[in-house]
Amino acid sequence: MSGAVPSLPTRGDAVLVGLHLIDGVDPAPRGGLALVIEEGRIARITTPDDAVRGAARVIDLDGAFVMPGLINMHTHFSLSLPGAGGDVVSGLSPHELSLYMADGARRTLLSGVTTVRCVAEKGGADFALRRAIAAGHVPGPRIYTAGRALCCTGGHGFDGDDTLECDGADAFARGVRSQVKAGADLIKLMISGGIAGEHEEITTPQLTREEMAAAISTAHAWGRKVTAHAGPAAIIAEAVQLGLDCVEHGYELTPEVARLMAAHGTALVPTLVVTRASAFFDDLGVPAWMQQRSLGAGPRHMASYRHALDAGVEVLLGSDMPPFWDFEGTSAVVRELEHMQAGGLAAPDAVRAATAAPARWLGADGELGTLTPGRWADLVVTPGDPTTDVTALRDLDLVMKGGVVVRDDQGRARGAFA
C-alpha cells in the first residue's frame, strides 16, 4: 500500500440480486427485484437484468431475505448495573470508558443494529463516539442520543454521571438546555423509580408535575422529543397529558392509561427482556434484591405491554441490555423482538417496530427505516423470513451500513464483481 491509510469507509456502492425484499413499507416480502446502491443510499429498486447492466459490484444473495437494519431505541453503551460487572464499568477512566463504548458500538453493529437511540450515557462520551463513527474512525451504528438523563436528587440512576440531578422547574429547564447544548437529539427524564434503584420502588413517583411540565415544554421549544423512564400508571398518565412523547418500560400500565397514550400518540419502548434477564444478571453478578425485583415484575410487565397493544399504542424495539449480548441462544436485541412477538405483536408488525416506526419517531424516516430510494442502505440479510417469525433474525448472514458490508458470514460479498 502506498499513500495515506484511509479511515473506515462510510459509504459504498453495490447491486444486490437474488433476494426477497422486505422494504419496511409492504408487510410481505417481494421477489424478482434488485437493489441498486450508490454512495451509500438506495438509488433504485429494479429488475435484476437492469440492475447488473454496467454494475461494478454485484452481490448474489441466493434467495435470502433482505430487510432494513434494526433500530434499537433503548441502548446504553456505558451501562453499569449494581454488582461486580457494573462496578468494573463504573471504575473505568474516561479514556478506558471511551474504548469500552466503542467496542460495544462495534459489536452492536455486527449484531444487525444499524441505528441506536442512547438514553443515558456517561461522561459525554456518547457525543465523541457519535462523531468518531460518522467520521469512519471506529465502526458502529448511527447514534441518536439523549446525553445525560435528568433525575431528581437521589432519583433513579442518580449515582452515575449518566444522569444529571435537578430539583424544581427551573433546574429541569436548565437541565434540558444543558443537554441540548451538549448535542442531545432528545431528552430523557427519570419520572419514577425502577428495577436498579436499591432505595426506591418501581412505583415511586419522582418528579413533580411542574418539573415534568418545565422539562417537556423546554425540550419541545428546542425541537427535541422527550422520553421517560417510567413504571407506574398514574405518573405516566400525568406526563402524557403534559406532552410526553415516549415511555420506557411502562411496567404497570392500565388499559385506561394505555388508551390515553394511544390518543396522544405517545409511543412505548417496552424492554420486555429486562424482566426476563436472569442469565444476564448472573453474568454481571447483579445482587439478589435487584434480581428479585426484576423477575418478580415480569408477569405485570407483560400484562402492561398487552394493554398497550390492545389500545393501539405504537411500540418500538429497545433492549436496554447491550444489543449484542449473547443471551438465550441469540442476541439480546433479537430476544427482545421474540418477546414482543410472543406477547401478541404479529411478526410483520414486530419488523416495523424495529425499523420504520423507530425511524419515524426519530424524525429520520426520510433517511432510515425502509429500503426505498433515497434512504441509507442500512440492511440485514437472513435465510429465513422475519415477517413470518422474527426468530429468523437469529441467523444473520450479512449486515450492511451505508452500502458498506460490515458482516458477511457466508462470504457472499467477497469477489462480488460483475
Side-chain angles (χ1 to χ4, degrees):
M1 177 183 292
S2 61
V5 177
S7 297
L8 295 171
T10 59
R11 302 185 181 198
D13 301 329
V15 170
L16 306 185
V17 299
L19 56 89
H20 291 90
L21 178 64
I22 302 168
D23 62 11
V25 179
D26 192 321
R30 294 180 291 155
L33 298 172
L35 290 180
V36 179
I37 299 165
E38 297 175 355
E39 281 295 302
R41 295 181 182 267
I42 307 295
R44 64 185 191 277
I45 300 171
T46 183
T47 64
D49 287 345
D50 175 63
V52 301
R53 192 174 299 119
R57 190 183 193 205
V58 179
I59 302 174
D60 188 346
L61 298 177
D62 195 26
F65 292 80
V66 178
M67 63 172 274
L70 303 177
I71 301 177
N72 192 322
M73 294 287 277
H74 194 119
T75 304
H76 305 277
F77 287 127
S78 55
L79 180 69
S80 57
L81 296 176
D87 290 346
V88 170
V89 178
S90 296
L92 296 174
S93 72
H95 305 96
E96 291 169 329
L97 179 66
S98 294
L99 293 170
Y100 175 83
M101 291 173 64
D103 179 60
R106 175 188 64 85
R107 296 166 74 183
T108 293
L109 179 60
L110 294 179
S111 72
V113 176
T114 54
T115 299
V116 297
R117 188 184 68 164
C118 295
V119 285
E121 300 290 4
K122 292 180 172 59
D126 45 326
F127 301 114
L129 180 59
R130 182 176 63 185
R131 291 191 295 270
I133 290 170
H137 297 157
V138 296
R142 305 181 195 280
I143 292 178
Y144 293 78
T145 185
R148 298 168 71 183
L150 308 184
C151 68
C152 66
T153 294
H156 188 71
F158 78 93
D159 51 350
D161 70 349
D162 51 357
T163 56
L164 178 65
E165 288 181 304
C166 307
D167 290 301
D170 288 348
F172 271 91
R174 287 194 298 273
V176 168
R177 294 182 186 121
S178 74
Q179 296 315 293
V180 172
K181 177 182 177 181
D185 303 293
L186 64 139
I187 298 297
K188 184 183 181 185
L189 305 177
M190 304 296 206
I191 68 173
S192 80
I195 286 171
E198 185 173 6
H199 303 296
E200 64 189 27
E201 301 295 334
I202 289 174
T203 54
T204 306
Q206 295 188 348
L207 269 60
T208 67
R209 183 179 184 87
E210 292 73 22
E211 288 169 335
M212 290 189 292
I216 292 169
S217 63
T218 302
H220 286 175
W222 284 83
R224 302 315 195 267
K225 287 184 175 180
V226 182
T227 193
H229 164 97
I235 191 73
I236 291 172
E238 193 169 22
V240 168
Q241 290 166 343
L242 292 169
L244 183 69
D245 301 293
C246 188
V247 170
E248 308 298 309
H249 315 301
Y251 298 117
E252 298 189 359
L253 293 177
T254 63
E256 295 77 17
V257 173
R259 288 194 291 269
L260 182 69
M261 289 175 61
H264 283 257
T266 307
L268 172 67
V269 181
T271 67
L272 295 170
V273 75
V274 303
T275 54
R276 291 153 178 79
S278 180
F280 173 64
F281 293 150
D282 288 343
D283 287 344
L284 296 183
V286 167
W289 65 262
M290 181 176 164
Q291 295 218 30
Q292 291 164 3
R293 184 183 296 174
S294 172
L295 302 177
R300 182 68 181 85
H301 192 187
M302 182 59 79
S304 176
Y305 170 68
R306 288 175 173 146
H307 291 327
L309 294 184
D310 290 344
V313 173
E314 184 159 69
V315 295
L316 309 173
L317 170 66
S319 63
D320 202 352
M321 287 173 58
F324 55 81
W325 203 269
D326 185 3
F327 185 67
E328 298 183 344
T330 185
S331 64
V333 69
V334 172
R335 196 71 187 98
E336 175 66 19
L337 274 175
E338 291 174 343
H339 284 310
M340 292 173 76
Q341 180 178 308
L345 191 64
D349 295 328
V351 169
R352 186 162 50 251
T355 56
R360 186 168 55 251
W361 193 96
L362 292 167
D365 45 333
E367 300 283 310
L368 308 169
T370 61
L371 297 180
T372 52
R375 275 62 173 181
W376 287 112
D378 297 353
L379 56 85
V380 297
V381 176
T382 66
D385 180 4
T387 67
T388 299
D389 189 339
V390 296
T391 298
L393 288 165
R394 288 181 172 231
D395 298 314
L396 286 182
D397 278 356
L398 183 144
V399 179
M400 177 181 281
K401 179 192 168 199
V404 177
V405 175
V406 297
R407 174 177 171 179
D408 183 14
D409 292 2
Q410 301 298 319
R412 289 180 167 131
R414 291 198 290 270
F417 297 93

